[in-house]
Amino acid sequence: MGVHGFQDYIEKHCPSAVVPVELQKLARGSLVGGGRTRPPQTPLRLLIDAENCLHRLYGGFYTDWVSGGQWNHMLGYLAALAKACFTGNIQLFVFFNGALEKARLHEWVKRQGNERQTAQQIISHVQNKGTPPPKVWFLPPVCMAHCIRLALVKFHVKVAQSIEDHHQEVIAFCRENGFHGLVAYDSDYALCNIPYYFSAHALKLSRNGKSLTTSQYLMHEVAKQLDLNPNRFPIFAALLGNHILPDEDLAAFHWSLLGPEHPLASLKVRAHQLVLPPCDVVIKAVADYVRNIQDTDDLDAIAKDVFQHSQSRTDDKVSRFKRAVAYYRATNKPLSYPPAPYLARPNQSGIPGFVPPYVSPPMLNIPQGSVQTKPMAENPPPASSGNKTADKKGNQAGNMQIPCLLSMPTRNHMDITTPPLPPVAPEVLRVAEHRHKKGLMYPYIFHVLTKGEIKIPVTIEDEVNKDLPPATVLYRPVRQYVYGVLFSLAESRKKSERLAFRKNRMPPEYFPVIIKEWAAYKGKSPQTPELVEALAFREWTCPNLKKLWLGKAVEDKNRRMRAFLACMRSDTPAMLNPANVPTHLMVLCCVLRYMVQWPGIRILRRQELDAFLAQALSPKLYEPDQLQELKIDNLDPRGIQLSALFMSGVDMALLANDACGQPIPWEHCCPWMYFDGKLFQTKLIKATREKASLIDLCDGQSEQAAKVEKMRQSILEGLHFARQNYPMPFPPPPPMPFYPAAMYPRPFCPMPPPQGRGRGFSGVQPIPSQGGKLEIAGTVVGQWAGTRRGRGRGPFPLQVVSVGGPTRGRPRGVISTPVIRTFGRGGRYYGRGYKTAVVSQAKPPYAASAEEVAKELKTQSEDSKSSAVSSDGSVAENGVLTEETPASQMNGGSGDAGVSLHSESALSTDSKMCNTNPHLNALNADSVCHKDETLEAAVLKQEE
């Protein structure tokens, strides 16, 4: 436990130091916690560390969190909280953890292991009893922190995100901006000299919304009970064990303080593992030791005495001890401002300033805790990782009585050196930093751009059941394309690939952009990162990130939307048709469409898809009080996992939306507009157990049922597992390919180059509505009639399916088995050397590891001459004919080449069509998206 147990020690052993308070009374009175005065008629300014307060801001441990989150209930609670603070003269500022914090990675690894076990306990409990788990097993619903952040922005509560060291920046922000107190629950704050410290766990709002209560920690009382001068807290904290100097390295010292006569001395060694003394015993013993230190400034003498029994890495431990003391001394410096009126004085804009991101504030000149004495590679692991094999053996051989815990899995995490990241434009970094610190952007984006790694938390998933994939694996392709967007891979590789294609050469070799993903799921421990390659879209050339974020033209907005839809594999016209998919349901439909397309595993059944859609359109979604009273007899374990997978998809959709320049306004991304976990459970149980029809799922409302039908058709548009009006088509498990009803397997045939340019309508139904004929060796052997005519354009040309034989006249279409394009190529290049092309079977366009990346690149090099090209430049994708888009029309006339992987692009490749399509309401400059342009102008103006 080390220093982390100090907070619990205060609660259990210092009752006189924990005082209940009502914040409205403190705001009305002249005293803050019975201490300092503040100016009259000024608000009580409180800084909340969201990292310790997420469950309270969510609304508490009420039981329905396990179903995926009740977001409208959370929204109602935060609305009441904001109102209570406004009427009670309290000003809140919520600080979110947006830092990667590699120095605390070992703590994160240990926490992920514990939460992974908790997730399995939750699944087992629900399967056996069908009831919600106890609140002690509370795991935050997926995406909870981001939902809370969006809700606070909605209610005009100021938010911010840390950028390097969360604790360090929270303390600096609180001290430098005149906050009266900090609301948190962390031992690091208890050991720091902050004005007033309130409990985040005890924060409660009464049902009538008039009383906001919590507990205040009186640290002078804690110091009195420990009989320890607060000036000695830094050494006290360093010797308890922390993220810089782990308590495992202090175990011998802690046992030596107890002595051989202590009743617990016999527990020192048990089963050849390190046994740490109880936390409360260690706290008392270390307090006694620190109290008797003669000279607290002579750290060398203290370290010599502390590590006198150390037989390995003594110099490293001494260095860590000094850094830990410096860390806590910096946060214990006296306040640099008077205690009275200046406390509540904001700056000229009324909003406190932000901590500089890359350098520590002047008041917090804290050394970094990630220095390796013997670095293993260019990018050494954090200092506290302790992953040196020689160090492990040295500890175990030199001190056999107390084996080092560094050899245990919770400490054995290994970092990996990756290639350097591509350079990012300074303007982009400035915008990313601004949005990150303001809490306006998903934190992964800044981590990827500056450090090239992210940490993915545990979700609720059954590791025994093989029916559903882990969320980390399911949405990895989304992240891979997001990485490609962030590093502008398409433009950086376009010139070299175009040159290779023109000269009929193999694709050029390039260094892949590798991102490290730290995650824990079935078959994967969090102790090592996974190396994931960034990917570029193959069907079109995405603009560079600077243009994507800062471009103000209508075409730029269209490209932002297309990039987002491409990341989510939802680049279809219906997604932008508000008659089928309302704007506030676009994220819902994109995530469901992505889940339906997952190859090999049947994730969503027909009734489950309908349950998602029916709950999104139900009026009960906006009645949290009614849902709270709703009783569920027997929870569905599969429904709980589906909810977690869906919310993980929403999480990734928020990431993709921010990475692509926020084409969807944040107001339309919020989950409370389209999902409630408890409501989904009721709809799912009704659909699966009671076999209710769609009209019954919609509570007898035919209008709702019709909307569900339209949304379902939009989600399945162009997928062609079967006809769209079929009950619920899904692909079978690999390796057997799937052929729609109107298609058949046929030999792969080399096809000639295209001879003309089409309009850009890609995608043909299994039985083309305009009619067609079948040719074998140039002889017509069958034909079929059309079912409808084009609107305003005259009839579509007859679809020709040719099998073998020479081709004459106009280009011919090809229907073939499912394939995945390796590289996207424009029609303008096929006339130069690509006289023939062979269709080849390939993997999906994503990779699970660096090894697969290497294999795929090698395969692509060997098979570079093969591609799925029809006689008119079309590509057969998942059994669907897709027509080639002319290079002159691609990207709004930019001349970029690409081929759509979908039946039809959601955005017309003609720039004029992009500007005039009435379905693109989300992209209209006069629509809600205009706020995005205003925000960009404000950002640029502020930076100038």
Side-chain angles (χ1 to χ4, degrees):
M1 293 293 290
V3 76
H4 297 296
F6 186 60
Q7 184 73 57
D8 292 332
Y9 177 86
I10 297 174
E11 298 272 2
K12 297 177 181 177
H13 300 278
C14 305
S16 61
V18 184
V19 180
V21 294
E22 185 175 349
L23 295 179
Q24 283 95 338
K25 290 184 178 180
L26 296 182
R28 289 193 299 266
S30 60
L31 299 179
V32 178
R36 299 171 178 169
T37 60
R38 62 185 178 87
Q41 298 180 351
T42 57
L44 174 66
R45 304 183 67 237
L46 298 177
L47 180 65
I48 297 180
D49 181 8
E51 183 80 356
N52 311 134
C53 201
L54 285 177
H55 67 288
R56 298 310 313 168
L57 295 175
Y58 176 67
F61 293 105
Y62 57 94
T63 57
D64 302 307
W65 57 267
V66 74
S67 299
Q70 286 191 274
W71 305 115
N72 270 295
H73 186 283
M74 177 205 75
L75 193 69
Y77 175 81
L78 290 177
L81 177 65
K83 182 179 179 181
C85 291
F86 179 78
T87 58
N89 199 28
I90 300 172
Q91 185 182 88
L92 295 183
F93 201 113
V94 184
F95 214 100
F96 287 84
N97 189 348
L100 187 65
E101 294 190 309
K102 286 294 291 291
R104 296 179 183 263
L105 186 60
H106 64 283
E107 298 176 354
W108 182 85
V109 167
K110 187 182 297 184
R111 186 166 59 253
Q112 294 305 297
N114 295 335
E115 292 184 355
R116 188 174 170 185
Q117 293 180 2
T118 302
Q120 299 314 301
Q121 290 176 310
I122 291 172
I123 291 293
S124 178
H125 176 91
V126 174
Q127 288 175 341
N128 295 331
K129 299 186 177 181
T131 59
K135 67 179 182 180
V136 294
W137 289 348
F138 177 80
L139 275 183
V142 180
C143 198
M144 188 173 80
H146 311 301
C147 294
I148 292 175
R149 175 170 54 89
L150 292 175
L152 292 173
V153 172
K154 176 181 177 66
F155 297 124
H156 307 288
V157 176
K158 297 181 177 64
V159 299
Q161 280 186 142
S162 55
I163 203 165
E164 290 292 337
D165 186 296
H166 182 66
H167 294 80
Q168 177 177 322
E169 293 173 36
V170 167
I171 295 169
F173 194 73
C174 181
R175 290 158 58 94
E176 295 182 344
N177 293 282
F179 285 94
H180 297 110
L182 173 66
V183 182
Y185 194 89
D186 195 295
S187 299
D188 281 347
Y189 300 132
L191 292 165
C192 297
N193 182 23
I194 53 179
Y196 294 98
Y197 181 32
F198 301 99
S199 172
H201 286 191
L203 186 66
K204 293 181 181 179
L205 181 66
S206 62
R207 287 188 176 271
N208 59 12
K210 295 182 179 180
S211 176
L212 184 62
T213 60
T214 184
S215 297
Q216 180 179 350
Y217 300 111
L218 307 179
M219 294 312 300
H220 62 277
E221 285 290 333
V222 176
K224 182 178 179 181
Q225 293 197 26
L226 290 175
D227 192 17
L228 188 64
N229 192 319
N231 293 332
R232 300 195 173 205
F233 274 5
I235 297 179
F236 174 67
L239 292 179
L240 284 179
N242 47 76
H243 67 284
I244 300 175
L245 180 64
D247 48 1
E248 296 93 310
D249 290 341
L250 291 163
F253 167 66
H254 293 163
W255 281 113
S256 68
L257 294 179
L258 302 183
E261 304 300 328
H262 196 277
L264 297 175
S266 60
L267 300 177
K268 286 170 57 177
V269 178
R270 177 177 291 178
H272 301 291
Q273 291 186 2
L274 175 62
V275 178
L276 300 175
C279 189
D280 57 338
V281 175
V282 171
I283 288 175
K284 293 179 181 178
V286 173
D288 294 338
Y289 177 83
V290 174
R291 185 189 315 118
N292 296 320
I293 293 178
Q294 298 297 323
D295 185 2
T296 57
D297 293 327
D298 192 353
L299 297 183
D300 289 319
I302 298 174
K304 182 178 180 180
D305 183 61
V306 168
F307 300 110
Q308 58 180 319
H309 301 296
S310 176
Q311 299 183 12
S312 67
R313 298 188 300 115
T314 304
D315 293 340
D316 179 52
K317 294 175 184 176
V318 170
S319 175
R320 293 171 185 268
F321 166 71
K322 292 180 179 180
R323 292 203 301 271
V325 172
Y327 186 97
Y328 290 101
R329 276 184 174 172
T331 58
N332 272 270
K333 288 183 179 180
L335 299 178
S336 60
Y337 47 79
Y342 184 77
L343 273 175
R345 184 180 304 165
N347 56 24
Q348 293 180 356
S349 63
I351 302 176
F354 285 86
V355 180
Y358 299 110
V359 296
S360 300
M363 190 176 296
L364 288 177
N365 189 13
I366 300 171
Q368 297 294 326
S370 57
V371 179
Q372 183 85 3
T373 54
K374 296 179 180 180
M376 296 175 58
E378 294 181 11
N379 299 328
S384 54
S385 61
N387 51 21
K388 298 292 291 182
T389 306
D391 292 343
K392 295 180 199 172
K393 294 181 179 179
N395 282 339
Q396 295 176 356
N399 193 3
M400 293 301 296
Q401 291 184 342
I402 304 180
C404 184
L405 196 63
L406 292 177
S407 61
M408 298 185 67
T410 53
R411 307 296 298 173
N412 186 23
H413 68 270
M414 292 287 293
D415 208 343
I416 300 175
T417 301
T418 55
L421 298 174
V424 181
E427 301 92 327
V428 170
L429 283 179
R430 283 200 300 267
V431 173
E433 179 186 335
H434 169 83
R435 292 179 178 175
H436 182 98
K437 291 193 299 183
K438 288 283 190 180
L440 301 175
M441 188 177 71
Y442 199 100
Y444 281 2
I445 295 175
F446 193 76
H447 298 168
V448 171
L449 289 175
T450 58
K451 296 181 173 61
E453 53 190 305
I454 61 173
K455 295 186 299 188
I456 304 175
V458 166
T459 60
I460 298 178
E461 48 197 19
D462 188 0
E463 297 188 3
V464 178
N465 190 353
K466 299 180 180 180
D467 292 341
L468 296 173
T472 303
V473 176
L474 176 61
Y475 296 106
R476 178 167 293 150
V478 177
R479 296 192 298 274
Q480 287 183 277
Y481 287 121
V482 166
Y483 303 153
V485 170
L486 292 178
F487 288 108
S488 307
L489 289 189
E491 280 204 355
S492 64
R493 297 174 180 175
K494 182 176 64 175
K495 291 183 178 180
S496 56
E497 289 187 0
R498 285 171 58 184
L499 181 63
F501 293 142
R502 284 176 176 176
K503 295 185 178 180
N504 197 14
R505 296 178 180 176
M506 294 174 55
E509 296 184 1
Y510 50 82
F511 292 102
V513 177
I514 301 297
I515 306 299
K516 289 188 283 188
E517 293 184 350
W518 299 84
Y521 55 90
K522 179 183 178 180
K524 172 66 181 68
S525 122
Q527 297 156 14
T528 55
E530 292 180 292
L531 304 183
V532 179
E533 184 187 19
L535 297 178
F537 303 128
R538 293 171 179 172
E539 64 271 24
W540 70 295
T541 301
C542 182
N544 62 65
L545 193 61
K546 180 179 177 181
K547 190 171 185 59
L548 203 63
W549 281 10
L550 304 179
K552 298 181 179 180
V554 175
E555 289 83 358
D556 295 322
K557 294 184 178 182
N558 292 352
R559 289 164 183 159
R560 282 195 278 269
M561 179 61 77
R562 186 176 186 186
F564 167 76
L565 293 176
C567 286
M568 300 301 298
R569 296 184 181 175
S570 300
D571 189 7
T572 59
M575 284 297 171
L576 290 175
N577 185 352
N580 295 341
V581 180
T583 308
H584 71 281
L585 298 179
M586 186 180 294
V587 170
L588 167 83
C589 292
C590 287
V591 173
L592 293 176
R593 179 180 170 88
Y594 183 92
M595 294 172 69
V596 167
Q597 293 181 81
W598 181 251
I601 300 179
R602 182 174 177 174
I603 295 181
L604 282 181
R605 305 184 180 109
R606 162 68 177 266
Q607 60 270 25
E608 294 167 348
L609 178 60
D610 285 349
F612 273 112
L613 298 177
Q615 64 86 33
L617 295 174
S618 174
K620 296 180 181 178
L621 181 68
Y622 303 101
E623 300 293 340
D625 294 335
Q626 295 183 16
L627 290 176
Q628 197 64 22
E629 301 298 328
L630 191 63
K631 301 297 181 184
I632 300 179
D633 296 332
N634 196 4
L635 286 177
D636 187 343
R638 177 177 169 86
I640 289 176
Q641 297 175 72
L642 286 177
S643 295
L645 280 179
F646 172 77
M647 285 306 303
S648 297
V650 171
D651 206 32
M652 292 300 98
L654 295 181
L655 166 66
N657 187 57
D658 286 355
C660 297
Q662 300 174 345
I664 304 178
W666 69 267
E667 299 95 334
H668 294 160
C669 295
C670 304
W672 54 79
M673 303 187 71
Y674 48 80
F675 183 72
D676 180 277
K678 191 173 185 179
L679 182 58
F680 171 69
Q681 275 280 326
T682 61
K683 298 290 185 182
L684 183 65
I685 292 174
K686 198 171 183 179
T688 56
R689 297 179 187 172
E690 303 175 13
K691 307 299 181 183
S693 62
L694 178 59
I695 191 68
D696 292 332
L697 283 182
C698 297
D699 301 320
Q701 302 295 320
S702 58
E703 184 178 353
Q704 289 184 34
K707 291 180 179 179
V708 169
E709 287 281 1
K710 288 184 178 180
M711 291 171 64
R712 187 203 305 132
Q713 292 175 7
S714 301
I715 290 171
L716 300 178
E717 181 186 22
L719 297 185
H720 303 296
F721 304 120
R723 296 184 183 180
Q724 289 189 1
N725 57 356
Y726 191 75
M728 191 58 189
F730 286 98
M736 294 297 295
F738 175 74
Y739 304 101
M743 301 185 184
Y744 54 89
R746 60 178 296 277
F748 295 126
C749 304
M751 303 304 300
Q755 302 296 329
R757 297 184 176 183
R759 178 68 180 169
F761 288 93
S762 58
V764 180
Q765 300 294 331
I767 298 180
S769 58
Q770 70 270 21
K773 59 183 179 179
L774 174 65
E775 288 184 0
I776 297 181
T779 303
V780 178
V781 297
Q783 63 184 8
W784 56 90
T787 58
R788 63 179 175 86
R789 297 176 63 88
R791 297 182 180 178
R793 298 176 182 266
F796 284 91
L798 212 63
Q799 177 66 34
V800 180
V801 179
S802 178
V803 181
T807 58
R808 299 175 182 176
R810 62 176 304 279
R812 316 243 178 198
V814 176
I815 296 180
S816 62
T817 54
V819 295
I820 301 295
R821 284 292 302 270
T822 301
F823 291 94
R825 293 196 282 263
R828 61 188 295 184
Y829 304 122
Y830 289 113
R832 302 186 181 183
Y834 283 89
K835 295 296 180 68
T836 61
V838 182
V839 180
S840 64
Q841 202 97 11
K843 284 188 174 183
Y846 52 84
S849 64
E851 289 79 10
E852 292 191 19
V853 170
K855 285 184 179 179
E856 184 179 1
L857 292 178
K858 184 177 180 181
T859 305
Q860 293 167 0
S861 299
E862 295 174 354
D863 300 334
S864 61
K865 295 183 180 181
S866 63
S867 62
V869 184
S870 70
S871 58
D872 60 349
S874 61
V875 178
E877 175 67 26
N878 290 336
V880 182
L881 189 68
T882 59
E883 296 182 7
E884 186 69 35
T885 302
S888 62
Q889 295 180 358
M890 186 63 67
N891 290 336
S894 62
D896 299 334
V899 179
S900 175
L901 289 178
H902 306 285
S903 64
E904 182 176 345
S905 172
L907 300 178
S908 172
T909 52
D910 191 333
S911 61
K912 295 182 180 179
M913 290 294 293
C914 281
N915 297 342
T916 59
N917 192 339
H919 291 166
L920 303 185
N921 69 319
L923 303 180
N924 195 320
D926 297 329
S927 68
V928 192
C929 268
H930 187 66
K931 299 179 181 178
D932 186 39
E933 184 174 351
T934 306
L935 176 61
E936 296 293 349
V939 171
L940 295 177
K941 183 177 180 180
Q942 179 174 348
E943 292 175 6
E944 293 174 356

